[in-house]
Amino acid sequence: MARPARPGGRHRPRGHLHRLRHRAPPLPRRRRDRARRDHPGRHRPVRDRQAAQRRAAEAEQRYAEARDVIDVLQRQLLPPGLPILPGLAVGGSYLLAGTETAGGDWFDAVPLPDGRAALVIGDVVGHGVAASAAMGQLRAVMHDHLDHVGDIAEALTAVDRLAGRLPAARAATVCVAAVDPADGRITYCTAGHPPPLLIPSGGRARYLPSSGGGPLGTGSAFPLLHDRLGVGDQLLLYSDGIIERPGLDLPAGTVELAEAATEIAADRALREDWLATVERLTTQTLELLVRVTGHTDDITLLAAQRTAPPPPLLLDLRAEPAAIPTARAALDEWLYDLGARAEDVVLLRHGVGELVTNAVEHAYGPASGGILLHAHSTSRGTVEIEVSDRGRWLEHRHETDRGRGLAMASDFVDELRVDTGPSGTTASVRHRLFRPTRLLTGDDLTPAPPARKPLELLLILDQPSLGAPRIRVDGPVDSATAGQLREELQLRTRGGTRPLTVDLTGVTHLASAGVAVLHEAGTRTAAPGRPLLLYAPPGSPAQHVLSTVALPHTTTDPG
């Protein structure tokens, strides 16, 4: 008997019902979903993606660490600054070809024993750690010979011997030019290096003739040539990265450099009045030329301008409290005119301020007298400052918290000497001044304007705070203003019975008299629950002083 046809006319095969009877029943929905989630290959794409992300993060971290190492290496091998010399302003910039590898360019400026200054620029073949290490050795040998002997030919002979023994330094090029600020005479050698560019004041730049010397370690001689630098004229030493930029042949790059230097020296380029002339030349040249074409090699620029020697600072003051801010303001102005860094101005202001304070307080007692302050810069890149009086040293009784002045002054300067005799006391300070060099990348060509000069008024202001009451102190805290701060601290802490946070960020000068006030206030509020918390951010004048005298403070803003 025939089976009835299925709807639609199709006929199911005989074995189909048998297969249906033995098929495993379908899993419930929840078990099916769990089975899919637990399948061994289900999460493989997710795990692979997470592993790739971890590898990428680790690679990025290693790359950042490598860049930090390269940056530290480059900064350690280059000079931290260029000396500030009477009659010769010097500035330099170093633009890295990239942040992934170290370079072999270097520059230096070395005061010579005979009063001249040697300008040095060099280029080691290649890049990487080996090139940087060779560069560091060449610079150290060159600097040492110039500093102690002062002879260009002898210094070149010494680095040539080193390059002959050091494969990574062989065929390095170097240009050395010794400039006499007194008469402008230039003695130079181009050992395989492009010749210097001389930019006359108000005239067009010209390249000096090449001396004909060959690269280091190649058996070449090092003949010397001579020229002259007038007052206001500039001399630019450079590495070939500035004239061999992408899309330019060597003649075109050479012409562009001379034209740009002429415009910058005449102040017809970018308006950056806060920069010294040599700093404009070494930064704006990069800004104008490299921004357009880019660069594939490190670029080093070293400039010097012959200037009128700065006059010394001479002050004849009465031994009275008003002499302290007067001396400090005059010294600040003189140092800034020299081109000193703000950090050095702060150190010398504090150190010399302590010496003037000691003379005011200890030289004459109730009698009146005078104080002489004499400051001048030397051809070795230092300033020498003398503070003298004609009195006899008088100790103050019942002042156990004083006596820190000379110790603080000694910590602020490179060298301090005090000579006391029956005819008076003379304190002499020596401190090296230098202009910071610029190690740049393509992202930070334009320099920032300098910080403003500090105010001389003492301001004490309330600050909002969620915790203990808080005040901010701005201006100088010295013997003239320490009494004002003492009264404020006594009032704010109610005689030491309430806690107080003191923000010293804006303090421009913290003398020993101010340290005594803070120490006294801290002792009064030392009991638990009412502390005096001093906040001085890293690098501030107050932080430097508080660290020197070991007065407890925090460098992290307590909020």
Side-chain angles (χ1 to χ4, degrees):
M1 179 177 178
R3 293 178 179 270
R6 295 182 62 203
R10 297 189 61 183
H11 184 75
R12 185 193 301 265
R14 177 179 293 274
H16 185 73
L17 292 176
H18 177 76
R19 287 195 298 271
L20 287 176
R21 294 190 192 100
H22 291 83
R23 179 183 297 173
L27 293 172
R29 182 179 183 84
R30 291 183 180 178
R31 293 180 60 190
R32 286 202 309 271
D33 293 343
R34 186 168 63 250
R36 291 184 186 131
R37 289 196 301 267
D38 296 338
H39 191 276
R42 176 73 177 176
H43 296 287
R44 183 171 298 167
V46 176
R47 289 196 298 269
D48 291 346
R49 185 168 60 254
Q50 292 173 341
Q53 291 172 346
R54 284 195 300 270
R55 290 193 297 270
E58 292 170 358
E60 185 176 353
Q61 177 65 25
R62 290 193 298 270
Y63 176 69
E65 292 173 354
R67 288 183 57 179
D68 291 342
V69 169
I70 290 170
D71 182 74
V72 171
L73 173 66
Q74 205 78 47
R75 293 183 187 276
Q76 290 297 319
L77 292 176
L78 291 172
L82 300 171
I84 293 178
L85 306 170
L88 194 70
V90 184
S93 294
Y94 191 122
L95 178 62
L96 293 169
T99 55
E100 294 81 9
T101 182
D105 288 10
W106 92 87
F107 62 90
D108 209 348
V110 187
L112 303 182
D114 59 5
R116 297 180 300 162
L119 310 174
V120 185
I121 197 162
D123 188 356
V124 173
V125 178
H127 293 85
V129 175
S132 289
M135 172 266 284
Q137 294 179 73
L138 291 174
R139 189 184 76 82
V141 171
M142 175 73 77
H143 187 109
D144 182 70
H145 278 74
L146 290 173
D147 180 62
H148 286 86
V149 180
D151 186 87
I152 290 180
E154 183 172 332
L156 285 168
T157 301
V159 295
D160 185 61
R161 288 195 302 267
L162 175 61
R165 300 191 302 268
L166 192 64
R170 191 167 293 124
T173 64
V174 62
C175 178
V176 187
V179 181
D180 190 341
D183 61 9
R185 184 177 175 83
I186 306 171
T187 303
Y188 69 97
C189 177
T190 57
H193 202 84
L197 179 66
L198 193 151
I199 308 106
S201 176
R204 298 197 64 79
R206 63 180 176 88
Y207 290 96
L208 302 186
S210 174
S211 69
L216 302 178
T218 61
S220 173
F222 303 110
L224 303 178
L225 291 181
H226 305 278
D227 213 296
R228 191 170 298 277
L229 200 64
V231 175
D233 295 352
Q234 297 185 70
L235 191 68
L236 179 65
L237 280 64
Y238 54 93
S239 61
D240 57 8
I242 192 66
I243 56 177
E244 296 180 356
R245 289 172 286 118
L248 293 174
D249 55 22
L250 184 58
T254 302
V255 170
E256 276 199 0
L257 174 60
E259 292 177 346
T262 299
E263 295 299 306
I264 294 167
D267 201 18
R268 292 193 293 262
L270 307 175
R271 300 298 299 179
E272 293 169 335
D273 296 334
W274 65 85
L275 290 177
T277 305
V278 290
E279 291 180 326
R280 289 205 307 267
L281 185 59
T282 56
T283 56
Q284 291 183 3
T285 301
L286 297 173
E287 185 74 29
L288 293 178
L289 298 182
V290 175
R291 287 288 192 193
V292 177
T293 63
H295 65 297
T296 56
D297 197 2
D298 294 345
I299 298 176
T300 308
L301 300 178
L302 179 65
Q305 182 183 36
R306 188 178 170 211
T307 62
L313 174 64
L314 296 171
L315 295 177
D316 189 350
L317 306 168
R318 300 297 299 171
E320 54 191 22
I324 300 170
T326 299
R328 190 166 59 233
L331 182 64
D332 279 5
E333 194 68 28
W334 184 75
L335 290 170
Y336 278 118
D337 288 343
L338 285 181
R341 301 179 307 153
E343 294 87 343
D344 286 321
V345 174
V346 168
L347 293 175
L348 286 168
R349 180 199 306 136
H350 279 79
V352 175
E354 293 298 330
L355 301 181
V356 175
T357 301
N358 277 341
V360 168
E361 296 181 348
H362 298 283
Y364 299 102
S368 62
I371 301 171
L372 294 178
L373 189 153
H374 175 224
H376 70 282
S377 60
T378 74
S379 62
R380 297 293 276 176
T382 64
V383 290
E384 296 181 352
I385 305 172
E386 285 187 355
V387 177
S388 60
D389 62 70
R390 296 186 177 276
R392 299 182 62 184
W393 190 268
L394 301 173
E395 291 289 351
H396 290 271
R397 297 179 179 179
H398 311 301
E399 291 193 2
T400 57
D401 59 349
R402 301 302 298 275
R404 299 186 178 93
L406 289 179
M408 288 173 57
S410 178
D411 287 327
F412 291 138
V413 299
D414 294 338
E415 183 181 337
L416 172 64
R417 178 179 176 180
V418 180
D419 297 315
T420 301
S423 60
T425 299
T426 298
S428 304
V429 164
R430 289 174 57 88
H431 191 76
R432 178 176 176 264
L433 296 182
F434 63 89
R435 190 187 309 276
T437 56
R438 302 180 187 277
L439 181 60
L440 307 171
T441 65
D443 297 329
D444 51 9
L445 289 179
T446 303
R452 293 177 56 191
K453 293 183 181 181
L455 298 173
E456 285 299 309
L457 297 176
L458 182 65
L459 301 176
I460 301 176
L461 307 171
D462 286 300
Q463 282 190 325
S465 175
L466 297 178
R470 174 168 170 154
I471 62 173
R472 176 181 168 111
V473 182
D474 286 2
V477 184
D478 54 18
S479 59
T481 59
Q484 177 185 349
L485 179 61
R486 176 182 283 109
E487 292 178 3
E488 285 289 338
L489 294 180
Q490 289 177 342
L491 176 64
R492 306 280 181 155
T493 63
R494 295 185 181 177
T497 62
R498 295 184 62 188
L500 180 68
T501 297
V502 182
D503 182 352
L504 302 173
T505 302
V507 169
T508 59
H509 184 92
L510 183 57
S512 57
V515 171
V517 169
L518 295 176
H519 184 273
E520 170 191 316
T523 302
R524 283 199 311 266
T525 58
R530 54 175 192 269
L532 181 77
L533 180 59
L534 304 179
Y535 164 55
S540 64
Q543 188 268 334
H544 190 101
V545 174
L546 295 179
S547 298
T548 300
V549 300
L551 191 60
H553 64 285
T554 179
T555 57
T556 302
D557 191 342

